[in-house]
Structure formats: structure tokens, C-alpha cells
Amino acid sequence: MIPSQSYGNISFFQPPAFLMLGISGLEAILGWISIPFSAMYPAALTGNGLILLAVKRTPNLQQPMYYFLSMLAFNNVGLTLSTLPTTLAGLWFDHRLIGFNACLVQMFFLHSFSVVESSVLLAMSFDHFVAISNPLRYAAVLTNNVIIRIRLAIVAHAPLCLFPVPFFIKGLNFCLDNNFLSHSFCFHPDVMRKACADIIININYGLYVVVSTGGIDPLLIVLSYTLILHIVMGLASPQECIRALNTCVSHILVVFVFFIPSITMSMTHRFGRHQPHIVRVLVAYVYLMVPLLLNPIIYNVKSKPIREAMFRVLRGKVQG
């Protein structure tokens, strides 16, 4: 590492690498801590991979609801892979350095996958609304062309929204000897606060991204379910009411599992910077791993068609 004196006459400085603290201070039990993480990453990849294969190989699941579910699973695979190298490298080999540019790339993909997940959950709530409000015209409204356009819009929205973020970071002057990141992955609020420059543009644009996705998407999801509840309460039979609501349970649980850790993570970085380091680390790992692990479990438990299709994949049988 180059001594700080070497940078004495440099007016603009960017660190060649960041040091990711991760679970610092617990080195004595790092081997034990690495065991659950070593299991969680393969479990997340396996669970979401099984959903992808189940939807692809099962003709009965070639429906809009399951197309969105497969998109959610594919996004979760991408989110898992975006943080797996740095997290496991720190736990297994105590390798905590990440290059400046590599950090920006990881940050871009991490936040892009998070924005995509929020948008997919919104699309799934719209799917449920159409299915319950007008079941006879469901297939006519959500045609394959409409589904393709929605998916393309979701995929395009995240990179376009987050494209400026790495360049904003790239233009900042960073403090000497302040290249420590709180987590084992690059998170935008964490990275930008290491700068010794005015970060108001980064703060405002980050706030715009949070509000336009983590703020508006949940509100639209709540609106969808308010309308769904209004429609369901008008059904004549209590059995029909319960049956209609049961189709939404999996999605509602997944929404809570994603947005609660995501909002908690954002609030911790914005208002809880004086919290103990271990608290921020635990919040980060919950934000990172819990949705990836629980999404396949929720759909496996609550959705019989998905459960049966996943078991067929595990048995190596393909429905004809």
C-alpha cells in the first residue's frame, strides 16, 4: 500500500482499491461464520434455478404469472452472483480488497438487479389485479406481446436509471487513507460517503432512484391490492373470496420479504451511521440474502403448480 505522503501534492485522488470490512472484529470465529454463507449462496442459486427450469419445462406454467415469476428468479440469480465473489473471498480467504473500477461495476449491477426486482414485483401485482378483476379477459389483456413489452421495459428501466451513478462516483475526489467500505460488497451510499468532495448530486440522484422505485413501486403495489380487496369483498361466496385471496398470498409475502430489508438498509445508511458496525453488517446481509433464499421457499410452499413442477425437475421428468 502506498503511503499517504506519496499523495501529498495530488489535488485529485481516487483510491486504487477499497478495503471491504465486512464482518470485521470477528476473525476468531470467521471459519464458523463462513459455513452458513457457504450454504446460503448455493441454496439461493439452486432454489431460483429450479424455478427457472420448472417454468421452462412445464407447458401448464406458460402463463403471464409464471413468466414474471421466472423473471424474478432469473433476477435473483443475477443478484446472487453479483455479490458472491467478494463476500466469499472475504470469508474464505480473508481477501477484502476490490479495485476501484471493479467496485463501480459491482455497485451498478447490485443496484440494477434491485431496481429490476422492485419493477417485477409491481408487474406481478398488476397481473394479479387483471386476473381477479376481469378473469374472462385475462388472456386477451396480457398477451405474449404485452408480456414481452413489459419485460423489456423492466430490463431497460434499471440500467437507464442507474447508468449515471458510476460516472458521478468516478468524478469525485476521495479522501486519503479513507478507502474502507462497511460491507463485503459495494453499496452506493457507502462508497459516495468516502469522498472528500461535494456529494449533493450523488445524494439527490440516489434519492431520486430510491423514490422512483423503492417509493413509487410499493405505493402502486398497495394500490393494486386495495383495488383487489375491493373486488374480492364484492364476491357473493366467502369460499370464492378466500380462493381469490389465496392466489395473492405468495406475492404479498415476497413483497414484504423484499421491501422491508431494502427500506431498512436505506434508512440505516441515511440515518443510522452511528450504529455499531455489526448492526449495519447484519442489516446488509439480511437485505442481501433473505429475499434470495425465501422467494423460492415461499413459492414452493404456497404454489402447488410450482411445487409439483420443481419436484418433477428434481426427479428428472419433463411434463409432456
Side-chain angles (χ1 to χ4, degrees):
M1 196 170 178
I2 302 173
S4 60
Q5 289 87 344
S6 302
Y7 298 117
N9 297 321
I10 297 177
S11 59
F12 184 83
F13 172 72
Q14 287 180 339
F18 287 109
L19 180 65
M20 299 174 292
L21 296 179
I23 308 177
S24 60
L26 300 175
E27 286 77 6
I29 57 171
L30 196 61
W32 293 103
I33 295 173
S34 66
I35 294 174
F37 280 96
S38 300
M40 284 190 289
Y41 273 107
L45 291 171
T46 301
N48 288 287
L50 281 173
I51 289 179
L52 284 170
L53 290 173
V55 173
K56 180 180 179 181
R57 295 183 179 183
T58 309
N60 291 342
L61 300 183
Q62 305 300 308
Q63 302 174 32
M65 176 175 66
Y66 299 111
Y67 290 150
F68 288 128
L69 177 58
S70 65
M71 190 174 184
L72 183 68
F74 184 82
N75 185 74
N76 284 342
V77 169
L79 187 56
T80 303
L81 294 175
S82 69
T83 60
L84 183 149
T86 52
T87 301
L88 293 189
L91 290 172
W92 288 353
F93 309 111
D94 199 29
H95 180 77
R96 301 177 185 274
L97 285 176
I98 182 171
F100 183 82
N101 290 326
C103 181
L104 298 186
V105 171
Q106 184 186 57
M107 181 186 69
F108 174 79
F109 280 105
L110 172 63
H111 290 288
S112 292
F113 284 126
S114 296
V115 170
V116 167
E117 181 146 357
S118 177
S119 300
V120 172
L121 292 175
L122 175 59
M124 293 173 80
S125 71
F126 174 70
D127 170 80
H128 285 297
F129 171 71
V130 174
I132 291 174
S133 65
N134 202 343
L136 297 179
R137 299 198 67 244
Y138 177 72
V141 174
L142 290 175
T143 62
N144 285 338
N145 284 337
V146 171
I147 297 299
I148 291 171
R149 288 174 186 172
I150 292 175
R151 294 172 77 171
L152 287 175
I154 290 172
V155 171
H157 168 66
L160 289 175
C161 186
L162 289 159
F163 181 76
V165 173
F167 295 98
F168 289 155
I169 297 291
K170 190 80 172 172
L172 292 176
N173 183 26
F174 283 79
C175 303
L176 300 177
D177 299 328
N178 188 21
N179 64 332
F180 302 97
L181 299 180
S182 302
H183 311 299
S184 57
F185 53 88
C186 293
F187 191 64
H188 177 249
D190 195 20
V191 176
M192 73 176 180
R193 294 190 185 280
K194 302 305 174 184
C196 287
D198 185 0
I199 59 172
I200 190 64
I201 294 177
N202 286 269
I203 292 174
N204 288 339
Y205 195 82
L207 185 61
Y208 157 73
V209 173
V210 169
V211 171
S212 64
T213 55
I216 293 177
D217 287 356
L219 289 178
L220 293 176
I221 292 171
V222 170
L223 176 61
S224 296
Y225 277 106
T226 302
L227 296 174
I228 288 172
L229 193 60
H230 177 73
I231 294 167
V232 167
M233 291 297 105
L235 297 175
S237 167
Q239 288 76 19
E240 290 180 357
C241 178
I242 293 172
R243 188 162 56 248
L245 289 176
N246 275 338
T247 63
C248 303
V249 170
S250 300
H251 180 252
I252 292 172
L253 291 175
V254 169
V255 167
F256 279 114
V257 162
F258 173 72
F259 280 108
I260 290 177
S262 179
I263 292 171
T264 304
M265 179 74 165
S266 296
M267 292 299 102
T268 300
H269 270 273
R270 187 163 293 273
F271 303 112
R273 293 196 296 273
H274 300 295
Q275 292 288 334
H277 174 71
I278 189 63
V279 172
R280 297 198 302 273
V281 169
L282 290 175
V283 169
Y285 282 127
V286 169
Y287 156 77
L288 193 64
M289 296 306 304
V290 167
L292 306 179
L293 285 168
L294 289 188
N295 288 355
I297 295 173
I298 290 170
Y299 277 100
N300 185 40
V301 171
K302 299 300 297 181
S303 175
K304 185 178 178 182
I306 287 292
R307 182 169 63 251
E308 292 176 346
M310 290 174 72
F311 284 145
R312 278 194 296 273
V313 170
L314 287 172
R315 291 196 302 265
K317 297 179 180 180
V318 181
Q319 178 176 325

